[in-house]
Amino acid sequence: MTRLQSTFARLRDKRAPGLVTYITAGDPDLDRTAGILRALDRAGADVLEVGVPFSDPLADGPVIQRATERALASGTTLSRVLDLLRELRTDIAAPIVIFSYANPILRLGAEQFADRAREAGVDGVLVLDLPIEEADEFRTMLAGRGIDTILLLSPTTTDDRLRRAAALGSGFLYAISRLGVTGARDALATGAREMVERIRRVSDLPVALGFGISRPDHVREVAQWADAAVVGSALVDVIAREGASRDLNTRVEEYVRWLKS
Amino acid sequence: MFLKREDLTHTGAHKINNALGQALLAKRMGKRRVVAETGAGQHGVATATACALLGLECRVYMGTEDMRRQALNVVRMQLLGAAVHGVEAGSRTLKDAINEAMRDWVANVDDTYYLLGSALGPHPYPLMVREFQSVIGREARAQILEQAGRLPDVVVACVGGGSNAIGIFDGFIDDAGVRLIGVEAGGETIAPGRHAARFAGGSTGVLQGTRTFVLQDAAGNIELTHSISAGLDYAAVGPEHAWLRELGRTEYAHISDAEALDGFRTLARLEGILPALESSHAIAYTMQLTPTLQPGSIVLVNLSGRGDKDVQTVIDSGGRVLSDPADAR
C-alpha cells in the first residue's frame, strides 16, 4: 500500500473529512517553504501538495500567479524543490504530491525526474497540462518507482474520459469543482456534488475536490460526498500576507486547524 | 521575385482567412461570445471584424507592450465593437495574451469560443488554422503557374506562430523541388531575451498545449522574447513547423530588427508597398538569398500583411528608414 492509499483508507475508516493543502514551493523562498511544510504536517493536513513554479501558469488565477512570480524571483527550480523534499522527507508524516506543469519535468528529463522524485520520497505527481491521451508512458515510469499519478477531472470531462482517467490514475482523483482557474470563492460551485457523484459511478479511487475552497464550512460540506477538500489559493494568500512575518509558520498552522474545525 | 499579396485582404493581413473560418464554426457551435489573443493586433482586428459581421460578442486579450506599439490596431478593434483587455504579465506580449485568453476560455467554455490566431496551441488548433490558411498556398500555386508558367524554386514566409507560413507552404508541400523557407525574428542578437528565433536558440518543450521548439532556460521556464515586430515576438513555434523541419522538408533562417527595417524600406521605395514589419523579415531574407540563387530562379514571398500599423514603430526606430541619403541629393 502506498502512503497515499493508506492515508485515504484511514480517512474512510474514521469517516473524517480529509484536507489536502497546496502551496507554491519557494514562496517566499525555499527555506521558509521547509518551515511551512512542517507546520502544515503538524496542523494535521492529510496530503501536502507542493507546487513547482513555472513561468506560464495558465491554469492558475491571480493569487497563485503572484506566488509563482515570488518563487521564481527567489531562484526556485524543480531541481531545488526535489533537493528540499529529500532533506525534509523524514520530518514529515503526510504524503507529498508534486504539482507541476509539464515543461519543467520534461526539461529535467522525465526519467531523471522520476528517479529523483523517488529518492526524495515523493508519493504522487500531478502534471496540470498532461492530457490523459499522453499520460500512459509517464504513469508507467512513476508506477515503477512506487509513485502515484494524480489526474485532474473537470465538470466538462465526459464520462468516457472519466473512465479512462480512473483506469490510468492512482492514489486519488483530483476533481475541479467548477470551470476556470484556481482561486478562492465564497461559495462552493453548484455542480460540485454532481461532479463527484459522476466520478463515484466509474471509480473506487478516493476523490479530492478543489478550486474555490477556503473555509471550514466548505471543507465539511465537501466531506459529505468527497474524500477530501483541496485548499490552495486561500492558503497561498495567508503565506503572501505573512511571508515576511516571524509568525508565518504559526499563522499557517492556525489557518489549517481552523479549516479542520 | 513574386509577392503573394495577403496584405490586400480585408483588414490588411492573412489573419482574416482563419478568423472568418473559426467565427463561422463558433456560430455553428451555438457560442455567443468569442475570446481571442493578439500580438500585432492583426488577428484581433480580423476577429473583431468577423464577430461584428456575425453578431458575436468579442473580447481580445493583448499584452500592454503590444498595445503601446500597435496603438492603431487597438483603436480599430474598439471601433469594430470588441473589448480590448490589456495583459500586464510576463513580457506583456503575445504569450501572455494567450495565457489570459485561455484562462477566460476555460472559465466560460459553456458559451464562449476561443478563436486562436496562429497555428499553435492545443490540438486541433494547429491543424484547423493551417486548414483555414491553406487558401494562401492553393491560390499562390495556381497564380504562379498562370503567371510564370512554372513552380517557384523557393517559397519564403515569416514565422511567428507560423500561420501565414504554414498556409503558403501547404500549397507546395508535395512539390519536392520547391524549397520552403521560414524566417524567424532574430531581434537584436541571438541571446536569451533579445530575439524570437526558436530554431536558433530553442529546444523541445511544452508551452500552451503544444510540444514544439521553445525558448526556455535550464529549469524549463519560458524565456522572454524580443522582436521589433509584435507578430513574431513569441517563445514557441507552431508544432507543424518543428515537425516539417525534422522531416527535412522546410528550412528556417532568422533576420534581425535592423535587417527587417531595411526590408521594409526597400519594398516601400522600389514597389510602393508598405509591408508589415513581420512580412519585412521575409523580404529582407529574400534580399540576402537571391544573390546565391541561379539567375532566372523564382522566389515567391508571402507578403502576409500591410505596414500601416507599424509606422509609429518605424519612426521610433531612429529614423534609419525615413532619412535616406538619396533624398538629400
Side-chain angles (χ1 to χ4, degrees):
Chain A
M1 215 186 233
T2 67
R3 208 183 268 130
L4 277 168
Q5 285 168 345
S6 52
T7 295
F8 281 101
R10 176 176 51 77
L11 287 169
R12 277 187 182 178
D13 284 350
K14 295 198 320 192
R15 299 183 182 283
L19 180 67
V20 179
T21 58
Y22 168 94
I23 61 160
T24 301
D27 170 31
D29 59 45
L30 278 175
D31 281 346
R32 273 173 280 189
T33 295
I36 293 165
L37 288 172
R38 289 194 182 92
L40 291 168
D41 193 44
R42 270 199 308 277
D46 298 292
V47 177
L48 307 183
E49 282 183 357
V50 178
V52 177
F54 176 54
S55 55
D56 292 81
L58 61 79
D60 286 301
V63 169
I64 294 178
Q65 287 178 45
R66 296 293 97 76
T68 293
E69 285 165 13
R70 291 190 295 271
L72 290 172
S74 77
T76 308
T77 62
L78 173 57
S79 187
R80 286 183 189 159
V81 172
L82 289 166
D83 287 342
L84 174 81
L85 294 178
R86 190 178 170 166
E87 285 166 33
L88 267 182
R89 195 62 192 95
T90 49
D91 302 354
I92 288 174
I96 292 177
V97 173
I98 293 241
F99 199 93
S100 181
Y101 288 85
N103 205 48
I105 291 173
L106 290 172
R107 187 64 164 161
L108 191 62
E111 193 100 40
Q112 197 194 338
F113 166 78
D115 283 340
R116 290 186 56 191
R118 180 187 51 191
E119 286 163 25
V122 168
D123 300 286
V125 176
L126 189 158
V127 185
L128 274 136
D129 51 350
L130 179 66
I132 300 170
E133 290 78 1
E134 312 265 349
D136 199 24
E137 190 184 335
F138 189 53
R139 180 200 74 110
T140 306
M141 218 178 265
L142 293 175
R145 292 161 176 83
I147 301 172
D148 287 310
T149 300
I150 318 299
L151 295 175
L152 276 174
L153 306 169
S154 92
T156 53
T157 306
T158 59
D159 284 345
D160 181 49
R161 279 174 66 85
L162 284 185
R163 271 188 288 274
R164 291 164 71 186
L168 269 180
S170 62
F172 64 97
L173 291 168
Y174 188 132
I176 298 171
S177 66
R178 60 175 164 72
L179 296 174
V181 294
T182 55
R185 294 287 191 283
D186 285 337
L188 284 178
T190 45
R193 177 177 188 162
E194 190 206 323
M195 165 91 202
V196 173
E197 285 167 354
R198 261 195 328 127
I199 298 169
R200 294 285 196 219
R201 283 199 284 276
V202 300
S203 175
D204 295 328
L205 283 171
V207 177
L209 186 84
F211 281 36
I213 296 167
S214 60
R215 299 200 309 248
D217 52 312
H218 297 161
V219 175
R220 282 195 301 270
E221 192 184 337
V222 167
Q224 290 169 23
W225 16 275
D227 296 272
V230 188
V231 176
S233 295
L235 174 60
V236 170
D237 201 38
V238 171
I239 295 166
R241 279 186 278 113
E242 304 287 340
S245 153
R246 276 195 314 190
D247 300 326
L248 170 62
N249 296 341
T250 313
R251 294 285 101 82
V252 165
E253 217 175 317
E254 284 167 1
Y255 179 65
V256 170
R257 289 191 196 285
W258 179 67
L259 282 174
K260 295 205 74 160
S261 65
Chain B
M1 178 171 166
F2 286 78
L3 301 175
K4 173 62 178 153
R5 297 291 306 274
E6 289 298 303
D7 61 315
L8 297 179
T9 52
H10 183 47
T11 70
H14 72 292
K15 292 293 185 186
I16 193 74
N17 302 331
N18 167 58
L20 199 52
Q22 286 197 52
L24 285 165
L25 176 64
K27 193 86 182 165
R28 188 181 169 88
M29 289 171 76
K31 307 290 184 183
R32 57 160 202 89
R33 179 173 178 268
V34 162
V35 292
E37 82 298 338
T38 195
Q42 289 302 115
H43 174 59
V45 169
T47 302
T49 299
C51 288
L53 180 68
L54 297 174
L56 294 160
E57 183 185 327
C58 178
R59 171 177 264 210
V60 179
Y61 290 92
M62 188 171 190
T64 50
E65 167 62 15
D66 288 341
M67 288 177 76
R68 184 190 63 74
R69 56 181 166 172
Q70 309 279 222
L72 175 67
N73 274 345
V74 174
V75 177
R76 289 171 76 200
M77 286 183 268
Q78 288 165 339
L79 289 171
L80 290 160
V84 182
H85 190 92
V87 178
E88 277 291 345
S91 55
R92 303 184 299 279
T93 57
L94 180 58
K95 168 177 77 76
D96 314 291
I98 294 175
N99 284 339
E100 212 51 44
M102 284 191 170
R103 288 178 184 125
D104 183 317
W105 182 37
V106 298
N108 300 296
V109 67
D110 287 338
D111 68 350
T112 297
Y113 180 86
Y114 179 23
L115 208 163
L116 213 166
S118 196
L120 43 86
H123 177 73
Y125 283 105
L127 184 152
M128 178 163 61
V129 176
R130 190 238 300 146
E131 181 61 28
F132 287 135
Q133 294 295 359
S134 66
V135 63
I136 305 173
R138 271 199 312 280
E139 280 182 1
R141 193 173 188 282
Q143 288 165 338
I144 196 97
L145 287 175
E146 188 189 312
Q147 292 179 30
R150 69 177 180 92
L151 290 171
D153 299 285
V154 188
V155 176
V156 179
C158 64
V159 179
S163 71
N164 89 81
I166 207 77
I168 196 163
F169 289 176
D170 198 61
F172 300 92
I173 208 91
D174 296 328
D175 301 316
V178 179
R179 284 175 71 191
L180 306 174
I181 306 179
V183 185
E184 298 185 284
E188 293 160 353
T189 180
I190 304 299
R194 299 177 69 187
H195 72 103
R198 291 66 45 105
F199 290 125
S203 50
T204 311
V206 169
L207 176 64
Q208 294 167 336
T210 307
R211 183 158 187 260
T212 182
F213 263 68
V214 177
L215 294 169
Q216 57 181 326
D217 68 13
N221 290 302
I222 307 307
E223 277 173 356
L224 297 183
T225 52
H226 163 82
S227 169
I228 192 167
S229 72
L232 305 185
D233 199 350
Y234 180 63
V237 64
E240 293 195 359
H241 285 288
W243 180 62
L244 289 169
R245 178 175 176 266
E246 203 169 294
L247 293 176
R249 181 65 190 93
T250 53
E251 309 160 47
Y252 296 86
H254 53 82
I255 280 293
S256 71
D257 289 349
E259 290 165 334
L261 284 167
D262 282 345
F264 180 95
R265 169 182 165 279
T266 304
L267 197 71
R269 296 293 171 95
L270 293 183
E271 297 290 337
I273 298 168
L274 288 182
L277 281 173
E278 290 76 13
S279 322
S280 299
H281 285 70
I283 301 290
Y285 176 76
T286 305
M287 285 158 54
Q288 294 179 5
L289 176 75
T290 44
T292 71
L293 300 176
Q294 295 285 334
S297 296
I298 296 177
V299 182
L300 171 63
V301 181
N302 196 12
L303 191 65
S304 55
R306 58 190 290 160
D308 307 56
K309 69 185 176 63
D310 294 316
V311 168
Q312 191 58 48
T313 304
V314 170
I315 294 168
D316 294 346
S317 72
R320 51 178 300 144
V321 169
L322 297 180
S323 60
D324 187 335
D327 297 338
R329 285 201 294 272

